[in-house]
Every structure is written in structure tokens, then in C-alpha cells.
Amino acid sequence: MAYQSKDTYPRPDFIHTNHRWAPINDRWTILFDDDDIGLKESWHINGVPDKVSVSAASASSGADAEAEAQRLTAFPELIAKGFHAQKNQSRENTKKPINVPFTFQTPASGLHENDAHEVLWYERPVSDPRAKAEVDAGDRVLVRFGAVDYSVTLWLLGHLVEKHQGGHVPFDVDITDALDSVRKSSGKNELQLVLRVQDSPYDLGQPRGKQYWAPQPESIFYTPSSGIWQPVVLEVVPATRLGNSNAGTVLRSDDIDSGVLNAEVAVLGRRAGHAYGVEIEGSLNGFVISKKRENLPKDKDYTYVKLPLALSEGQRQSAPRSVTSMAPFDNPDFWHKGLAVWSPEYPTLYDLIIRLFDSEGKVIDEVKTYTGFRHLDWNKGDGTFRLNGKPLFQALCLDQGYWPDTGLTPPSPASLKEDIVLAKKMGFNGCRKHQKVEDPVFLYFADKLGYLVWGEMANAYEFSAEYKGRMDQEWTEAVKRDINHPSVITWTPVNESWGYPRLKDSVEQRNHIRSLYYLTKYALLPTPLLPTLYSLGDPDLSIPRGP
């Protein structure tokens, strides 16, 4: 099946109006490198072969899976249930087409391969999408990956262009220089994109969530998802441009008393010695409320903008019907001091346009996004969680985010919306996303439809120094990706004691969990959200929230 994403940008909450983009989920091929000989034989330089022979030792993966499953000390009741070694026999792996972004383990990929494969090679031709005017203007070409599990190395023309580790977070690859080089040297407009992906079925210190470490899932665990599992797009961008939340743009909208949006806007590709300005325009249901512009400091790649969005008395008198018909101004669940607040009952969002100006006052980039004003509080001493000053009962479901034919990947963006619509019809007002960093499209619809979300990281099962580095890096990237969504009200970096099997006896393991708590609460979050360490029961982690 093909992933239906032609008209859905992977980050619909942050759309550049002047960028051209196209999905590139088609024309991919995959080859399993079970002997891990691709680097030695220079597949990244010579191209991925049509087939490769696999030695008997590598072909016998069943016994390896059984031996590695024995290592799972955190879940002794699940160890070695029915695994049987396959007979030693050589085989031949063939390069095959794969329906991206579905992983090879799923029926939707066209492969539905259940054996364990640790090293995968993807390949796809890529053409320069730029017009001559865009080339002359110095525009760049990016390949944007939503998520690739787990570590990926990417080459163009045999040259290393990117390495990324972390199976649940996005990354961009700038392929402009390679495209220019090919065009100048050969006059061609196309080159091969080559990816080597490594996703170990046996490394239990690798954040994997509920992906099982053996080929066949069992108990509470699911089929593993290796390789590309979120959409891939090709995008033409200006050399100097507005950065999204991963790059540092934060839209803080928790001050409902003042009604002021506190924005930190990041700029990528700033040229030294050049002046830039950033403007934000805010509107409600088509009614422009305010506009503010700030210059980029000479020594910074970002600037701060304070934008008042509460309606003044005069604006309330002159507001068009598109605003007055939303709710009466005396409705305290909708309005707070002239500010429309966000809630599951009234998921009201302010539309924002962010513009980047050059020194001549020309708009060189523009983004359409939004924000929802809401204030969270749980420090009244009565154990009550409050949204916008009112008690909120969280009727949440534990959302695993797996589909029968597509695994971690939703069948389409529309299926993410359908999940939320159906959950609300059943009486839920939100979910805890369990052991998965969900597709950004899900959070977009959660914002639009009024659906509370507990954001969560996929945990590992073994603790080590390497795990700590992996977890810190990927958790940071996950929080930064989703930091501007009003629907996200809680962060859950750790589930129970997953990844911390000796929590009771190990000071090092307890200290790392504490470090994640403080990292989340004070270093990453500009707005007070609740970082939850689910079911740990450690009173020392009940740290009062700061102002």
C-alpha cells in the first residue's frame, strides 16, 4: 500500500509558505546486509548490489535471537518462550522495492519480513527540484526524515553527508552541494541517495519502547520497526530561513493573565554582517489582533518577540462576527480577560504568521503556525490538576500507537485524526502516548480537536553509560520537537523502571532519572509542564514546580 501523504506536510503545525516540497516515499529499494559487508565492499561508493550471499552463520538468526532474549533480566517471566534455532544454511538476500515509510516487518511495506535483520541498505534516486532562479538565489535542497530507527549513515556520490542516531526523532540532510557538484561535472540532475541503517534486535540498551527484541512478538510487546518509519520529503528552502522548534523556536503561551505570547524565534543560515528582522502577526478566526517586529541581535541567531493577543476593550466592541460568534465574551470557559484560552471543550487556537526580513525589508521566509493559550497548575495542595484555573479530570486512554498492517507508522495522516475522533466519542479527553514518540501530525490534530496528550519516550531495558547518552540525546530532541503543542500537558521520560532494572540498589540509576527530571523541567521547558516518572514511587522526585 502507498502512504497517502501527497497533500499533508509532515509538520502541519509549522508550514513555510514560500518553500516548495514533495514527498519522496516512493522508488526506494532495500537490501538486508546480514553479514555486514556493505562498508567493506564500498556499497556507499559503488552502489547497493542487486543481491548478496549470506553465510550460514549469519543466516542462522533464530538461535541468536534466543540467546539474546535470555539477557532480559528486567522481565524474567518473558525469557526464552518458544524460540528454536534455525538450521544452518546459506541464503541469498535480494534488493527489493519497499513502500516507505512502512518498515520491512509490516505487510504495508510490500515485504512483511519477520526474520531479524540488523543492517539495512536503502537506495533512491534524487533529482534537483530547483528552478534556475532558485539555484541563482542560493536556495538549498533538504531531505527531511521524520524518523529512522535506529542509527543511520547517509552518502551522496560516495561522500558522507550525515550521521544520525535516535529512532524516534526527525533530522534534515542538506544535499545541495552534492547536487551542484553533479550538475557542474556531468550536466546530470540526478544522484543516488544511499542509507545504511543499523537497528540491533539484541541491543537492550537501545531505546525501543515496546518493539520486541526477537523476530516474533509476544506478551505485551509488538513487532519491531526497523529503518524508515515516518515520511520523507524533499524541500527547497532559502539559505537564510526561520527554524522550527527543533532549531530553537519556542512559542510560550502559558501567561493567560497578561495574554502575551513570549516567542523565541530561531534563524538558520544567518550571514555574518547582515541585518535581519523577525515579525509575528497574530489573529483569531481571521481577525488580526496585533503585530510585532524585532531585529535580530548582531551576536545571536535568534530574537525574542512579545506579542499581546488578548482583545482590548475596543477590539471587543469592533470584533467581527467571526470572533463574536465563537462564544459570548462573558463565557469564562472560553474567555479569560479578553483572551481565548485552549481546553478540550474549546480548543481555540491563535493563527500566527512569522516573517523573516532582510536588511532591505524584503520578506525572505514566512511561516504559518499557531498557538493555544492555556495555564497548568497542580500546586494548590489538594492533589488537583487545573487547566486555566479550573479542576480538570483527565479521562485518558493508554495509546500504544500500533496498527495491524503498518506497525508504528499510521496507515495515513487521516488515520491519526480518526483515532482522536473515535476516542473522544468514547468519552476520553486525552491519552498517554505509551512508549512511543508519535507522528507530529497526531499532535497537530490533538491541538485542533482538543485532545490532551502525555508525551512519552520509548525506553530501553538495560542500563549503561552508553544508554544514558542515547537517552539524554533522543529525549532532548523529542521534547524540542513537540514543545509548542498546547495539547501536550505532561512529559513522561521513563515508564516504571524500564531501563533501570536495579533502581532500588543503584544510586547511579536513580541519579540518572533525577537528571532527566531536572533536564526536562528546567532546561528544556519554557512553560511549566509536569515531567512525570511514571510509577516510580520515589518521594524525592516530587519536586515543587518553580514559578
Side-chain angles (χ1 to χ4, degrees):
M1 65 183 290
Y3 185 72
Q4 302 299 320
S5 64
K6 184 177 180 181
D7 300 321
T8 303
Y9 188 65
R11 294 286 295 269
D13 61 305
F14 201 86
I15 296 179
H16 295 260
T17 60
N18 59 331
H19 293 196
R20 291 194 302 107
W21 69 277
I24 53 171
N25 297 313
D26 58 346
R27 302 178 67 189
W28 289 93
T29 59
I30 189 171
L31 179 64
F32 304 132
D33 185 10
D34 296 330
D35 272 336
D36 198 9
I37 61 172
L39 289 175
K40 179 181 177 182
E41 296 189 354
S42 301
W43 293 358
H44 54 297
I45 298 174
N46 303 322
V48 180
D50 291 333
K51 57 186 177 181
V52 61
S53 296
V54 182
S55 66
S58 296
S60 180
S61 59
D64 292 337
E66 180 181 5
E68 294 297 336
Q70 296 277 352
R71 299 169 58 221
L72 191 60
T73 58
F75 297 95
E77 72 277 9
L78 299 177
I79 292 175
K81 286 187 177 180
F83 290 101
H84 301 285
Q86 299 177 359
K87 294 181 180 180
N88 287 346
Q89 55 182 354
S90 299
R91 68 165 181 260
E92 191 173 72
N93 289 340
T94 303
K95 183 167 66 176
K96 299 176 181 179
I98 182 170
N99 297 324
V100 166
F102 306 117
T103 65
F104 73 81
Q105 295 98 334
T106 65
S109 70
L111 300 178
H112 199 194
E113 172 67 60
N114 290 325
D115 286 342
H117 300 287
E118 183 170 352
V119 180
L120 324 170
W121 287 78
Y122 286 86
E123 196 173 41
R124 188 197 192 278
V126 176
S127 299
D128 192 337
R130 294 173 297 173
K132 184 178 184 303
E134 292 171 320
V135 174
D136 294 341
D139 286 357
R140 312 295 293 180
V141 180
L142 303 181
V143 181
R144 297 189 187 270
F145 292 88
V148 181
D149 200 358
Y150 170 67
S151 63
V152 57
T153 308
L154 189 147
W155 295 268
L156 288 165
L157 301 175
H159 298 291
L160 175 67
V161 292
E162 184 69 28
K163 282 188 174 184
H164 183 264
Q165 178 176 275
H168 304 84
V169 288
F171 63 96
D172 298 340
V173 181
D174 190 329
I175 64 171
T176 312
D177 295 340
L179 290 168
D180 290 344
S181 177
V182 168
R183 184 175 58 255
K184 291 175 182 178
S185 62
S186 66
K188 296 181 179 179
N189 198 42
E190 185 178 88
L191 49 77
Q192 287 294 110
L193 196 61
V194 179
L195 280 67
R196 178 185 181 273
V197 178
Q198 187 162 5
D199 183 28
S200 173
Y202 318 120
D203 183 355
L204 300 184
Q206 175 182 308
R208 65 176 65 246
K210 286 204 168 183
Q211 298 183 58
Y212 201 35
W213 49 91
Q216 297 296 329
E218 62 175 297
S219 185
I220 64 170
F221 299 97
Y222 300 117
T223 302
S225 297
S226 303
I228 300 172
W229 70 274
Q230 285 191 22
V232 187
V233 300
L234 193 67
E235 188 166 345
V236 179
V237 304
T240 305
R241 57 195 180 274
L242 295 163
N244 60 23
S245 59
N246 287 98
T249 291
V250 177
L251 306 173
R252 180 171 180 171
S253 53
D254 63 311
D255 190 350
I256 64 174
D257 287 330
S258 73
V260 173
L261 171 71
N262 293 283
E264 179 181 344
V265 181
V267 175
L268 299 174
R270 174 182 183 158
R271 296 177 63 186
H274 289 246
Y276 300 94
V278 171
E279 178 184 85
I280 304 181
E281 177 184 302
S283 61
L284 182 62
N285 220 18
F287 179 54
V288 177
I289 298 171
S290 65
K291 184 188 300 185
K292 187 73 175 294
R293 179 171 171 176
E294 298 287 353
N295 292 326
L296 208 65
K298 292 182 178 180
D299 60 337
K300 300 287 189 300
D301 292 328
Y302 59 88
T303 190
Y304 295 102
V305 180
K306 291 182 176 293
L307 187 70
L309 289 173
L311 295 174
S312 67
E313 187 59 39
Q315 287 175 319
R316 288 181 230 184
Q317 296 296 326
S318 61
R321 178 164 176 76
S322 62
V323 174
T324 58
S325 63
M326 298 175 76
F329 285 122
D330 60 357
N331 182 340
D333 294 325
F334 191 98
W335 298 100
H336 179 81
K337 299 180 179 180
L339 182 76
V341 291
W342 186 96
S343 69
E345 294 74 25
Y346 297 103
T348 309
L349 300 171
Y350 284 82
D351 293 314
L352 303 175
I353 300 177
I354 308 176
R355 300 183 180 95
L356 177 64
F357 295 87
D358 64 13
S359 58
E360 298 177 354
K362 176 185 175 183
V363 176
I364 57 177
D365 198 11
E366 182 180 88
V367 164
K368 286 187 176 180
T369 183
Y370 59 80
T371 193
F373 276 83
R374 48 80 174 129
H375 178 74
L376 308 174
D377 179 33
W378 53 94
N379 284 343
K380 301 296 186 189
D382 57 2
T384 300
F385 190 98
R386 287 176 170 83
L387 175 66
N388 303 326
K390 300 178 178 63
L392 173 69
F393 181 80
Q394 299 179 57
L396 310 182
C397 60
L398 190 65
D399 189 339
Q400 312 283 333
Y402 274 80
W403 282 263
D405 293 330
T406 60
L408 280 176
T409 312
S412 69
S415 60
L416 293 166
K417 179 180 180 180
E418 184 182 21
D419 264 13
I420 295 174
V421 170
L422 292 175
K424 294 198 74 171
K425 285 183 178 179
M426 288 187 284
F428 297 104
N429 62 7
C431 72
R432 174 188 165 197
K433 272 294 173 181
H434 190 43
Q435 287 300 288
K436 179 187 181 185
V437 181
E438 187 55 276
D439 190 309
V441 177
F442 179 87
L443 296 178
Y444 168 79
F445 285 123
D447 294 339
K448 294 283 187 178
L449 299 174
Y451 196 63
L452 307 171
V453 178
W454 286 29
E456 185 164 334
M457 178 59 189
N459 295 139
Y461 298 97
E462 286 185 347
F463 184 83
S464 65
E466 185 178 26
Y467 159 74
K468 289 194 294 183
R470 290 168 167 177
M471 180 67 179
D472 291 350
Q473 172 233 321
E474 193 168 356
W475 176 242
T476 297
E477 292 181 30
V479 173
K480 290 178 70 173
R481 191 198 75 172
D482 298 338
I483 202 167
N484 292 325
H485 288 281
S487 58
V488 178
I489 63 168
T490 301
W491 297 100
T492 310
V494 177
N495 174 61
E496 299 173 4
S497 58
W498 289 18
Y500 304 87
R502 297 182 57 249
L503 192 61
K504 179 174 180 288
D505 303 316
S506 171
V507 173
E508 183 183 9
Q509 292 185 19
R510 293 199 299 273
N511 283 342
H512 184 247
I513 286 186
R514 287 189 176 93
S515 74
L516 288 172
Y517 179 87
Y518 284 111
L519 169 70
T520 308
K521 187 171 184 178
Y522 296 111
L524 296 178
L525 300 182
T527 179
L529 292 182
L530 178 62
T532 297
L533 303 166
Y534 184 71
S535 294
L536 288 175
D538 186 340
D540 292 339
L541 295 173
S542 302
I543 304 169
R545 174 176 56 87

PDB file of all heavy atoms in Angstrom, residues 454 490-494 517 530-535:
ATOM      1  N   TRP A 454      -0.129  13.092  26.966  1.00  0.00           N
ATOM      2  CA  TRP A 454       1.099  12.889  27.726  1.00  0.00           C
ATOM      3  C   TRP A 454       2.161  12.418  26.737  1.00  0.00           C
ATOM      4  O   TRP A 454       2.066  11.325  26.180  1.00  0.00           O
ATOM      5  CB  TRP A 454       0.909  11.819  28.802  1.00  0.00           C
ATOM      6  CG  TRP A 454       0.112  12.230  29.998  1.00  0.00           C
ATOM      7  CD1 TRP A 454      -0.880  13.160  30.056  1.00  0.00           C
ATOM      8  CD2 TRP A 454       0.240  11.705  31.317  1.00  0.00           C
ATOM      9  NE1 TRP A 454      -1.389  13.255  31.323  1.00  0.00           N
ATOM     10  CE2 TRP A 454      -0.716  12.361  32.132  1.00  0.00           C
ATOM     11  CE3 TRP A 454       1.054  10.742  31.901  1.00  0.00           C
ATOM     12  CZ2 TRP A 454      -0.870  12.095  33.479  1.00  0.00           C
ATOM     13  CZ3 TRP A 454       0.899  10.463  33.251  1.00  0.00           C
ATOM     14  CH2 TRP A 454      -0.046  11.131  34.029  1.00  0.00           C
ATOM     15  N   THR A 490       1.875  16.886  29.747  1.00  0.00           N
ATOM     16  CA  THR A 490       2.752  16.124  30.636  1.00  0.00           C
ATOM     17  C   THR A 490       3.834  15.441  29.808  1.00  0.00           C
ATOM     18  O   THR A 490       3.578  15.003  28.686  1.00  0.00           O
ATOM     19  CB  THR A 490       1.962  15.043  31.410  1.00  0.00           C
ATOM     20  OG1 THR A 490       0.934  15.671  32.172  1.00  0.00           O
ATOM     21  CG2 THR A 490       2.854  14.264  32.350  1.00  0.00           C
ATOM     22  N   TRP A 491       5.028  15.369  30.383  1.00  0.00           N
ATOM     23  CA  TRP A 491       6.135  14.659  29.739  1.00  0.00           C
ATOM     24  C   TRP A 491       6.502  13.439  30.589  1.00  0.00           C
ATOM     25  O   TRP A 491       6.636  13.537  31.801  1.00  0.00           O
ATOM     26  CB  TRP A 491       7.360  15.562  29.609  1.00  0.00           C
ATOM     27  CG  TRP A 491       7.131  16.755  28.735  1.00  0.00           C
ATOM     28  CD1 TRP A 491       6.861  18.033  29.137  1.00  0.00           C
ATOM     29  CD2 TRP A 491       7.134  16.788  27.311  1.00  0.00           C
ATOM     30  NE1 TRP A 491       6.699  18.861  28.058  1.00  0.00           N
ATOM     31  CE2 TRP A 491       6.861  18.120  26.913  1.00  0.00           C
ATOM     32  CE3 TRP A 491       7.337  15.818  26.325  1.00  0.00           C
ATOM     33  CZ2 TRP A 491       6.801  18.495  25.572  1.00  0.00           C
ATOM     34  CZ3 TRP A 491       7.275  16.202  24.997  1.00  0.00           C
ATOM     35  CH2 TRP A 491       7.012  17.526  24.637  1.00  0.00           C
ATOM     36  N   THR A 492       6.682  12.301  29.924  1.00  0.00           N
ATOM     37  CA  THR A 492       6.994  11.057  30.618  1.00  0.00           C
ATOM     38  C   THR A 492       8.282  10.465  30.038  1.00  0.00           C
ATOM     39  O   THR A 492       8.237   9.679  29.088  1.00  0.00           O
ATOM     40  CB  THR A 492       5.838  10.040  30.474  1.00  0.00           C
ATOM     41  OG1 THR A 492       4.614  10.674  30.813  1.00  0.00           O
ATOM     42  CG2 THR A 492       6.059   8.845  31.378  1.00  0.00           C
ATOM     43  N   PRO A 493       9.439  10.842  30.567  1.00  0.00           N
ATOM     44  CA  PRO A 493      10.691  10.293  30.027  1.00  0.00           C
ATOM     45  C   PRO A 493      10.912   8.831  30.360  1.00  0.00           C
ATOM     46  O   PRO A 493      11.571   8.118  29.600  1.00  0.00           O
ATOM     47  CB  PRO A 493      11.768  11.172  30.666  1.00  0.00           C
ATOM     48  CG  PRO A 493      11.144  11.725  31.897  1.00  0.00           C
ATOM     49  CD  PRO A 493       9.685  11.864  31.599  1.00  0.00           C
ATOM     50  N   VAL A 494      10.350   8.354  31.501  1.00  0.00           N
ATOM     51  CA  VAL A 494      10.633   6.981  31.944  1.00  0.00           C
ATOM     52  C   VAL A 494       9.330   6.303  32.365  1.00  0.00           C
ATOM     53  O   VAL A 494       8.546   6.867  33.131  1.00  0.00           O
ATOM     54  CB  VAL A 494      11.626   6.965  33.127  1.00  0.00           C
ATOM     55  CG1 VAL A 494      11.851   5.544  33.609  1.00  0.00           C
ATOM     56  CG2 VAL A 494      12.953   7.608  32.717  1.00  0.00           C
ATOM     57  N   TYR A 517      14.652  14.316  35.036  1.00  0.00           N
ATOM     58  CA  TYR A 517      13.592  15.164  35.601  1.00  0.00           C
ATOM     59  C   TYR A 517      13.996  16.638  35.536  1.00  0.00           C
ATOM     60  O   TYR A 517      13.250  17.485  35.043  1.00  0.00           O
ATOM     61  CB  TYR A 517      13.318  14.731  37.033  1.00  0.00           C
ATOM     62  CG  TYR A 517      12.258  15.557  37.741  1.00  0.00           C
ATOM     63  CD1 TYR A 517      10.917  15.228  37.627  1.00  0.00           C
ATOM     64  CD2 TYR A 517      12.614  16.647  38.517  1.00  0.00           C
ATOM     65  CE1 TYR A 517       9.943  15.968  38.274  1.00  0.00           C
ATOM     66  CE2 TYR A 517      11.643  17.397  39.173  1.00  0.00           C
ATOM     67  CZ  TYR A 517      10.310  17.055  39.048  1.00  0.00           C
ATOM     68  OH  TYR A 517       9.348  17.795  39.680  1.00  0.00           O
ATOM     69  N   LEU A 530       4.362  19.163  33.473  1.00  0.00           N
ATOM     70  CA  LEU A 530       4.690  18.185  34.501  1.00  0.00           C
ATOM     71  C   LEU A 530       5.529  17.054  33.929  1.00  0.00           C
ATOM     72  O   LEU A 530       5.029  16.231  33.161  1.00  0.00           O
ATOM     73  CB  LEU A 530       3.401  17.616  35.086  1.00  0.00           C
ATOM     74  CG  LEU A 530       3.545  16.539  36.163  1.00  0.00           C
ATOM     75  CD1 LEU A 530       4.268  17.100  37.367  1.00  0.00           C
ATOM     76  CD2 LEU A 530       2.203  15.973  36.552  1.00  0.00           C
ATOM     77  N   PRO A 531       6.828  16.987  34.249  1.00  0.00           N
ATOM     78  CA  PRO A 531       7.602  15.817  33.841  1.00  0.00           C
ATOM     79  C   PRO A 531       7.336  14.672  34.802  1.00  0.00           C
ATOM     80  O   PRO A 531       7.624  14.760  35.989  1.00  0.00           O
ATOM     81  CB  PRO A 531       9.051  16.300  33.913  1.00  0.00           C
ATOM     82  CG  PRO A 531       9.043  17.415  34.895  1.00  0.00           C
ATOM     83  CD  PRO A 531       7.643  17.969  34.960  1.00  0.00           C
ATOM     84  N   THR A 532       6.751  13.603  34.309  1.00  0.00           N
ATOM     85  CA  THR A 532       6.313  12.507  35.157  1.00  0.00           C
ATOM     86  C   THR A 532       7.217  11.298  34.979  1.00  0.00           C
ATOM     87  O   THR A 532       7.526  10.909  33.866  1.00  0.00           O
ATOM     88  CB  THR A 532       4.867  12.114  34.804  1.00  0.00           C
ATOM     89  OG1 THR A 532       4.020  13.217  35.064  1.00  0.00           O
ATOM     90  CG2 THR A 532       4.409  10.938  35.636  1.00  0.00           C
ATOM     91  N   LEU A 533       7.616  10.700  36.083  1.00  0.00           N
ATOM     92  CA  LEU A 533       8.364   9.450  36.070  1.00  0.00           C
ATOM     93  C   LEU A 533       7.400   8.393  36.552  1.00  0.00           C
ATOM     94  O   LEU A 533       7.205   8.187  37.747  1.00  0.00           O
ATOM     95  CB  LEU A 533       9.605   9.562  36.940  1.00  0.00           C
ATOM     96  CG  LEU A 533      10.512  10.713  36.493  1.00  0.00           C
ATOM     97  CD1 LEU A 533      11.548  11.021  37.539  1.00  0.00           C
ATOM     98  CD2 LEU A 533      11.166  10.383  35.175  1.00  0.00           C
ATOM     99  N   TYR A 534       6.748   7.758  35.629  1.00  0.00           N
ATOM    100  CA  TYR A 534       5.535   7.003  35.901  1.00  0.00           C
ATOM    101  C   TYR A 534       5.796   5.800  36.804  1.00  0.00           C
ATOM    102  O   TYR A 534       6.628   4.958  36.529  1.00  0.00           O
ATOM    103  CB  TYR A 534       4.917   6.556  34.584  1.00  0.00           C
ATOM    104  CG  TYR A 534       3.605   5.837  34.741  1.00  0.00           C
ATOM    105  CD1 TYR A 534       2.469   6.536  35.132  1.00  0.00           C
ATOM    106  CD2 TYR A 534       3.513   4.480  34.517  1.00  0.00           C
ATOM    107  CE1 TYR A 534       1.265   5.892  35.273  1.00  0.00           C
ATOM    108  CE2 TYR A 534       2.301   3.823  34.673  1.00  0.00           C
ATOM    109  CZ  TYR A 534       1.190   4.533  35.049  1.00  0.00           C
ATOM    110  OH  TYR A 534      -0.005   3.900  35.202  1.00  0.00           O
ATOM    111  N   SER A 535       5.063   5.738  37.905  1.00  0.00           N
ATOM    112  CA  SER A 535       5.014   4.579  38.806  1.00  0.00           C
ATOM    113  C   SER A 535       6.315   4.303  39.550  1.00  0.00           C
ATOM    114  O   SER A 535       6.531   3.208  40.026  1.00  0.00           O
ATOM    115  CB  SER A 535       4.599   3.315  38.037  1.00  0.00           C
ATOM    116  OG  SER A 535       3.276   3.443  37.589  1.00  0.00           O
TER     117      SER A 535
END
